[in-house]
Amino acid sequence: MGGMPLTFAGRMKLVPEACQGILTSRIVKAENIIASCPKTDQHLLDQMKVMGCETTNNNVEAAGSSDVVLVGVKPNIVPRVLHDIKSCVTPKSPLVTSVALGVTIDSMESILPDASRVIRTMPNIPALVNCGASVYSKGTYATADDVTLTKRLLLSVGTADEVPETFMDAITGLSGAGPAYVFVVLEALADGGVKMGLPRPLAQKLAAQTIMGAAKMAIETGKHPGQLKDEVCSPGGCTIQGVAALEAGGVRASFIDAVTQATLKSLQTAGK
């Protein structure tokens, strides 16, 4: 597997960091990864070079020699990249994957040659620290081996689940945008600690560790989050007072609406 040629095509600012997880997993060797982006983003290619990867400004040059192509660009740029590389895409090779918001499998298959193998993925930003929550959907002609390979690549930077493509927009609103919601919570918790006299670095550290620990408990125990909340709230204690303040502020409705609005934006981007 380490000899598999892999291409990053486009202008994805997170590629250098995400690539580190793939390299650490040893699924692909650095010398078998080639990254392509415009000359205006040369600094990204420089980061890839430091890791031992090949670089180019020519998408066709990159894709033509690869088994897997990862298209990491803004949604409106995806058609341009696919038109760039379609001359070197066949049913046999390469597998074309995308991380672009709202870009459907059907739209990608309509640009690429008939029977091209396509898989749509949706990772999230914690993949940069090997703690991503990623999902993927297989295209019409993607094989079982393609699915296995995609899952292995995504597992190298976190979790990976296969989902129906109809779930993608809601997942974008939840786990795709979710880290930003949690960063807001983290900042607010730290602000509360500072308000009550804690030094900022300590308050932020405690807030981050608390969020990480709570998430780990939910994953490892398998308990409903409501049950875990109840186990922390002693009758008449300080925690239930804090929970009551959150409820009074409409925290549940705010988070539900955040996921809803982000999902609707993803749907709008996809033209649905």
Side-chain angles (χ1 to χ4, degrees):
M1 184 73 68
M4 177 187 66
L6 174 66
T7 288
F8 293 102
R11 184 184 292 177
M12 186 176 179
K13 294 184 178 180
L14 304 182
V15 160
E17 293 90 343
C19 183
Q20 290 178 351
I22 293 173
L23 291 175
T24 300
S25 70
R26 299 183 179 180
I27 294 177
V28 186
K29 294 179 180 178
E31 59 265 31
N32 289 319
I33 293 178
I34 182 168
S36 171
C37 73
K39 293 180 180 179
T40 51
D41 291 320
Q42 184 61 41
H43 63 287
L44 298 178
L45 295 184
D46 291 341
Q47 293 178 52
M48 299 295 287
K49 286 180 180 178
V50 169
M51 289 185 281
C53 303
E54 298 293 323
T55 64
T56 180
N57 300 122
N58 188 313
N59 288 335
V60 175
E61 178 185 344
S65 59
S66 296
D67 292 332
V68 180
V69 173
L70 171 62
V71 180
V73 297
K74 295 293 185 181
N76 61 309
I77 305 298
V78 172
R80 185 189 311 172
V81 173
L82 295 181
H83 279 293
D84 278 352
I85 67 172
K86 70 178 185 179
S87 62
C88 55
V89 175
T90 72
K92 292 185 177 180
S93 185
L95 166 66
V96 179
T97 66
S98 167
V99 298
L101 167 70
V103 178
T104 65
I105 290 170
D106 182 65
S107 67
M108 290 188 285
E109 290 180 340
S110 69
I111 295 173
L112 295 171
D114 290 344
S116 296
R117 292 151 44 228
V118 170
I119 291 185
R120 179 181 174 184
T121 72
M122 176 52 64
N124 65 1
I125 200 167
L128 303 189
V129 291
N130 292 346
C131 201
S134 302
V135 297
Y136 57 93
S137 300
K138 66 188 292 289
T140 309
Y141 304 100
T143 67
D145 286 343
D146 292 335
V147 170
T148 298
L149 175 57
T150 300
K151 185 171 185 176
R152 286 193 63 187
L153 288 169
L154 294 174
L155 284 174
S156 72
V157 292
T159 63
D161 293 283
E162 184 173 5
V163 299
E165 190 181 18
T166 52
F167 287 4
M168 278 291 185
D169 296 298
I171 288 169
T172 299
L174 175 58
S175 59
Y181 314 153
V182 177
F183 293 144
V184 171
V185 173
L186 194 161
E187 183 182 30
L189 285 173
D191 285 348
V194 172
K195 179 182 178 182
M196 301 313 296
L198 296 180
R200 169 70 63 180
L202 177 61
Q204 185 168 311
K205 178 181 179 180
L206 291 174
Q209 182 67 30
T210 297
I211 290 172
M212 184 169 66
K216 188 173 182 180
M217 280 191 68
I219 291 170
E220 294 190 358
T221 66
K223 294 181 179 179
H224 189 282
Q227 180 182 348
L228 291 170
K229 178 263 296 177
D230 289 348
E231 291 175 359
V232 184
C233 293
S234 303
C238 65
T239 304
I240 191 62
Q241 292 295 328
V243 170
L246 290 173
E247 296 289 5
V251 66
R252 291 176 188 265
S254 294
F255 277 109
I256 292 170
D257 192 45
V259 175
T260 301
Q261 292 303 317
T263 300
L264 292 175
K265 179 62 176 180
S266 180
L267 287 165
Q268 182 183 33
T269 303
K272 298 176 183 176

